C-alpha cells in the first residue's frame, strides 16, 4: 500500500518518494520491519498465549536426556511469523504482482492448515492433531492452485537465456530472448545451459507434448510443496532448529530471486530472466526478518514454539518461492536438511515394519527424525531392539545440534549458489 502511495506522490515531486521505486530499499525496509514486528510483538503475543493457556501439553519429556522440561511453553508461535511476514509485504510490496499474490495466498493457506492442527492438539487435547489425510489434501490443494496459476496466468513469463557461440563452439556471451513468453524450462544444476524443459520429458505425447509438460509441471509443484512443507515440519523438533535453517534458505532464495529479476546478472550467470520476480526479494526479506526476530524467543531455551502453524507455512513458502523462480530442482541441495529429516523417517518406518514381519524388533537409527538421533543416551535405547546405526554413542546437547545443523545448511546454501557457475 505504501508503495503505491509514494509512487503517486512522486508525480508531484515529493522529496524521497522516488526511493520506493528501488527494490533494494523496499526489501531492506521489509527485513527491518518484519524483524521489529516479530521481536517486539513477540513478547506481547507470548504473554497472551500464556494467559489463554495456549501451551505445549503433549511434548514427551523423556526425549531430552538433559532433563529440560518444555511442557507449558506457549505454542502456535507461527502466528508471530505469519504476521511479521504479511504486514511488511502488504505495506511495501506491489500487490498486483502475481508472484507476490501467490506467496501471500500460500502463507495464509498453510498457516490456516497448520493452525487447525495446533488447535486440535492444544484445545482438543489430541496429540495426533489434524488427520494426516487432511494435511495432505491441504498441501496438494495449495500446490494445485500455484501450479495452475503459473500455467494459466498471462503475467507469468520469462526470457530464456541463449548462449551465443563463436566458430570454435566456445560460449562467448549470454543474452536473453527479446520477448518474454511462457516457458516450461527450469534451472537444473551441474548441466551446461542450466535448463531442463518439462515438455522435452513429455515429448512422447507428440503434438500434446506442451500440454502434457504443463500437467507434469503442476504435478511437480504439488510434490515439491508437499515434500518441503513436511520436511520443515519434521525439522521443527529443537529450539531454533527450523527457524534458523529456514532463514538461511531464505537468504539463498532471495539471492536467486534478485539475480533472476536483473537481466544483466541473469545473463552473467547464464540463467533465465524472470520479469516481476523482484517482488519475491521483498517477500523473502520479510521472511528472513520474521524468522530472525522469532529466534529472539525461540532460541534455546525456547520461550515459544512455532508449532505446525509456523513449520508448515515456512516449508510452503520455501517451496513456492523456488518454483516461481524456476529453481525447484535445486531444493534437494538447498533444503538438504529437510530432505534428510524426511528420508530418515521413511527409512526408519520401512526398516521397522520389515523386521516386524519377521518377528524382529529393529531400527536403523536410534531415533528419528535424524536430529533426535544425536541426543539419545545408551540408557534410553531399547535393549530388545537391534540398531543398525548407534553413533554417536553419547548424547549431544540440543543447542549444539541446532548450531551444527545451521552450519550444514549454510554450506548447502553456498553449494547451491555455486552450482550456477559449475556446469
Amino acid at each position: 500500500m505504501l508503495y503505491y502511495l509514494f509512487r503517486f506522490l512522486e508525480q508531484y515531486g515529493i522529496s524521497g518518494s522516488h526511493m520506493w521505486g528501488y527494490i533494494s530499499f523496499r526489501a531492506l525496509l521489509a527485513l527491518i520491519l518484519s524483524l521489529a514486528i516479530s521481536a517486539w510483538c513477540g513478547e506481547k503475543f507470548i504473554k497472551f498465549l500464556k494467559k489463554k493457556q495456549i501451551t505445549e501439553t503433549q511434548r514427551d519429556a523423556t526425549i531430552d536426556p538433559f532433563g529440560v522440561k518444555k511442557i507449558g511453553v506457549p505454542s502456535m508461535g507461527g502466528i508471530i511469523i505469519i504476521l511479521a511476514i504479511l504486514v511488511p509485504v502488504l505495506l511495501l510490496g506491489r500487490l498486483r504482482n502475481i508472484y507476490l499474490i501467490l506467496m501471500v495466498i500460500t502463507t495464509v493457506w498453510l498457516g490456516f492448515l497448520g493452525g487447525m492442527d495446533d488447535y486440535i492438539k492444544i484445545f482438543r487435547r489430541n496429540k495426533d492433531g489434524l488427520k494426516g489425510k487432511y494435511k495432505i489434501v491441504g498441501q496438494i490443494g495449495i500446490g494445485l492452485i500455484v501450479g495452475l496459476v503459473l500455467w494459466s496466468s498471462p503475467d507469468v513469463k520469462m526470457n530464456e537465456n541463449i548462449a551465443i557461440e563463436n566458430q570454435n563452439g566456445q560460449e562467448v556471451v549470454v543474452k536473453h530472448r527479446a520477448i518474454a513468453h511462457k516457458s516450461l524450462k527450469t534451472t537444473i544444476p551441474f548441466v551446461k545451459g542450466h535448463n531442463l524443459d518439462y515438455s522435452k520429458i513429455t515429448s512422447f505425447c507428440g503434438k500434446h507434448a506442451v500440454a502434457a509438460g504443463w500437467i507434469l509441471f503442476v504435478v511437480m509443484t504439488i510434490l515439491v510443496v508437499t515434500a518441503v512443507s513436511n520436511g520443515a515440519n519434521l525439522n521443527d523438533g529443537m529450539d531454533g532448529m527450523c527457524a534458523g535453517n529456514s532463514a538461511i534458505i531464505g537468504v539463498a532464495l532471495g539471492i536467486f530471486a534478485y539475480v533472476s529479476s536483473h537481466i544483466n546478472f541473469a545473463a552473467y550467470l547464464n540463467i533465465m530472466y524472470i520479469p516481476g520476480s523482484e517482488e519475491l526479494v521483498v517477500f523473502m526479506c520479510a521472511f528472513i526478518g520474521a524468522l530472525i526476530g522469532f529466534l529472539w524467543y525461540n532460541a534455546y531455551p525456547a520461550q515459544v514454539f512455532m508449532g505446525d502453524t509456523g513449520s508448515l507455512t515456512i516449508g510452503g513458502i520455501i517451496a513456492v518461492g523456488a518454483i516461481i523462480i524456476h529453481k525447484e530442482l535445486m531444493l534437494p541441495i538447498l533444503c538438504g536438511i529437510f530432505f534428510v529429516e524426511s528420508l530418515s523417517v521413511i527409512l526408519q518406518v520401512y526398516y521397522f515394519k520389515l523386521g516386524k514381519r519377521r518377528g524382529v524388533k529393529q531400527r536403523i537409527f536410534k531415533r528419528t527424525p535424524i536430529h533426535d538421533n544425536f541426543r539419545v543416551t545408551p540408557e534410553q535405547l531399547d535393549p530388545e531392539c537391534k540398531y543398525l546405526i548407534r553413533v554417536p554413542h553419547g548424547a549431544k546437547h540440543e543447542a549444539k545440534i541446532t548450531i551444527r545443523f545451521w552450519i550444514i545448511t549454510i554450506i548447502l546454501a553456498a553449494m547451491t549458489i555455486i552450482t550456477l557457475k559449475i556446469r
Side-chain angles (χ1 to χ4, degrees), residues 96-321:
R96 288 178 288 185
N97 181 280
I98 186 62
Y99 302 132
L100 201 62
I101 292 171
L102 282 177
M103 295 302 291
V104 170
I105 291 173
T106 299
T107 303
V108 175
W109 183 291
L110 290 174
F112 177 78
L113 184 69
M116 289 296 294
D117 185 68
D118 287 334
Y119 175 84
I120 293 171
K121 288 178 181 177
I122 295 170
F123 294 99
R124 298 289 179 85
R125 306 294 178 182
N126 183 349
K127 66 178 181 179
D128 295 325
L130 189 66
K131 290 184 179 180
K133 61 181 180 180
Y134 295 131
K135 278 187 184 179
I136 295 297
V137 169
Q139 291 165 330
I140 290 174
I142 188 61
L144 183 63
I145 290 171
V146 171
L148 291 176
V149 169
L150 293 176
W151 178 1
S152 60
S153 175
D155 295 328
V156 178
K157 296 180 180 180
M158 74 172 190
N159 299 67
E160 293 180 23
N161 47 312
I162 305 172
I164 301 175
E165 300 179 349
N166 62 17
Q167 293 180 348
N168 297 324
Q170 296 176 338
E171 294 181 5
V172 292
V173 67
V174 176
K175 292 186 177 181
H176 291 88
R177 294 188 185 277
I179 301 175
H181 65 286
K182 298 190 76 67
S183 175
L184 278 167
K185 288 189 176 181
T186 187
T187 301
I188 184 169
F190 307 117
V191 175
K192 185 178 181 180
H194 286 315
N195 296 337
L196 172 70
D197 195 329
Y198 286 111
S199 63
K200 297 294 184 183
I201 300 175
T202 58
S203 58
F204 61 89
C205 295
K207 63 180 181 179
H208 303 294
V210 175
W214 278 110
I215 293 172
L216 177 60
F217 169 77
V218 173
V219 172
M220 177 64 74
T221 300
I222 292 171
L223 291 175
V224 170
V225 170
T226 303
V228 179
S229 183
N230 285 326
N233 186 235
L234 290 172
N235 187 237
D236 181 34
M238 292 185 178
D239 298 350
M241 174 76 80
C242 185
N245 286 326
S246 300
I248 296 164
I249 293 169
V251 171
L253 286 178
I255 293 172
F256 281 138
Y258 184 74
V259 297
S260 296
S261 67
H262 195 292
I263 194 166
N264 293 327
F265 289 152
Y268 173 73
L269 294 171
N270 192 8
I271 59 175
M272 57 199 76
Y273 166 58
I274 308 170
S277 61
E278 65 273 5
E279 292 305 312
L280 282 183
V281 182
V282 176
F283 189 96
M284 282 301 163
C285 281
F287 177 69
I288 295 163
L291 290 173
I292 294 174
F294 184 72
L295 278 174
W296 187 275
Y297 303 103
N298 186 239
Y300 184 88
Q303 297 171 257
V304 64
F305 299 135
M306 68 171 65
D308 283 13
T309 308
S311 59
L312 289 178
T313 306
I314 286 170
I317 287 172
I318 290 170
V320 174

